[in-house]
Amino acid sequence: MRFSNQVVIVTGAAGGIGLATARRFGAEGASVALVDQDAKALAAAAAQVRGDTLQVVCDVGDEGQVSAAVDRVMQRYRRLDVVVNNAGLMMFRPIEELDGAQWNKILRVDLLGAFYFVKQGFLHMRPGGAIVNVASVHALETEPNVAPYAAAKAALLSLTRSAAIEGIPKGIRVNAILPGAVDTPMLWNNPQVKSGTEHLGPSEVGKPAQVAAAIAFLASSDAAFIQGASLLVDGGRLCQ
Ligand code: NAD
């Protein structure tokens, strides 16, 4: 019960890694604010989380909505201990078919959404707070047709380091996690995986709960001396 009496925000909590993360924090005693833009899926997700939960419908790419979402959490709990920036969007398109609007669609969720919550975390957290940004192996090594996603995730690592430096005097830790392939809708909706162009053996696909365990570790006092780190959780994919 590492998170008893703590308040945790998980974005993109309606499914996949976000739901597994919300469940993990709930099981370890936290009050969990589940943030997602999908209201229906959010209600179903919250029902699977043990303990006290708050459902917050919010588009993480809209700064006003993020600010209002965190205000709701503060009004209800009067504290904020952990933020997990997990909401994410992927798009599959070759560079010559991409335009600026499509880049903006990805960057506003995968990069700016995390920035808005880091900012709110800095405004509301006390010393001891922790932020975990969910990046991807694509931040380090990528593949064809996902340029905006790979760029957003690489920039998220940079944001993590900037925020970690500014977090030190505030007593707030900021770290990133880099999952490899994980068994969620995002993976199986990948046309390159669907068509078999990108082949994944069973040992190369992780479970959402395995990523959630690593996120909970980085957010916990067990990781008190870890600041600005990027932790690969990919079953060894980038070692090969
Ligand atoms: P998913 O598609 O299953 O879930 C993403 C969640 O984010 C959904 O509930 C969706 O509604 C929510 N979301 C999307 N845009 C939003 C917005 N604008 N505002 C609020 N919520 C929004 O994906 P997942 O696989 O669980 O991915 C979670 C995170 O893990 C993402 O950041 C993703 O990039 C990262 N990741 C996933 C994999 C993988 O293989 N699944 C690998 C590496 C990194």
Side-chain angles (χ1 to χ4, degrees):
M1 298 298 257
R2 291 176 294 183
F3 300 99
S4 292
N5 303 317
Q6 293 197 18
V7 175
V8 177
I9 289 177
V10 180
T11 73
I17 293 168
L19 172 55
T21 303
R23 289 176 57 127
R24 177 76 193 223
F25 281 109
E28 291 209 47
S31 293
V32 184
L34 293 92
V35 173
D36 206 287
Q37 65 180 3
D38 185 339
K40 202 170 153 206
L42 195 56
Q48 298 178 50
V49 178
R50 194 188 301 171
D52 180 43
T53 60
L54 178 67
Q55 296 169 44
V56 187
V57 179
C58 166
D59 172 1
V60 303
D62 181 314
E63 186 165 18
Q65 288 189 37
V66 172
S67 170
V70 176
D71 283 351
R72 256 191 81 194
V73 173
M74 294 306 294
Q75 272 162 18
R76 163 108 170 232
Y77 298 110
R78 308 271 163 214
R79 64 183 288 162
L80 176 58
D81 299 282
V82 175
V83 172
V84 180
N85 279 311
N86 166 78
L89 205 56
M90 207 169 180
M91 181 187 286
F92 302 89
R93 207 156 287 185
I95 284 171
E96 62 271 30
E97 290 177 19
L98 281 168
D99 58 29
Q102 288 157 346
W103 271 87
N104 282 332
K105 188 174 172 188
I106 297 298
L107 290 173
R108 73 183 284 282
V109 176
D110 292 352
L111 179 60
L112 285 174
F115 159 68
Y116 299 143
F117 273 97
V118 169
K119 176 178 169 180
Q120 290 297 321
F122 278 12
L123 289 171
H124 293 285
M125 281 172 162
R126 299 190 202 125
I131 297 172
V132 181
N133 294 326
V134 180
S136 164
V137 290
H138 285 275
L140 303 180
E141 282 186 21
T142 192
E143 61 196 34
N145 305 325
V146 292
Y149 180 79
K153 294 297 189 181
L156 184 57
L157 294 190
S158 179
L159 170 65
T160 301
R161 288 189 291 271
S162 297
I165 292 167
E166 294 185 34
I168 292 169
K170 301 177 198 306
I172 298 172
R173 293 183 308 102
V174 188
N175 292 290
I177 195 144
L178 288 73
V182 185
D183 182 6
T184 73
M186 182 181 279
L187 179 71
W188 302 118
N189 288 335
N190 176 338
Q192 291 163 185
V193 172
K194 266 187 187 166
S195 68
T197 326
E198 184 184 338
H199 176 72
L200 292 164
S203 66
E204 290 172 274
V205 180
K207 302 222 175 313
Q210 293 172 316
V211 181
I215 291 170
F217 163 68
L218 283 178
S220 77
S221 58
D222 291 335
F225 199 50
I226 301 181
Q227 175 74 310
S230 300
L231 178 63
L232 275 168
V233 183
D234 69 344
R237 178 171 166 178
L238 291 199
C239 301
Q240 292 167 34

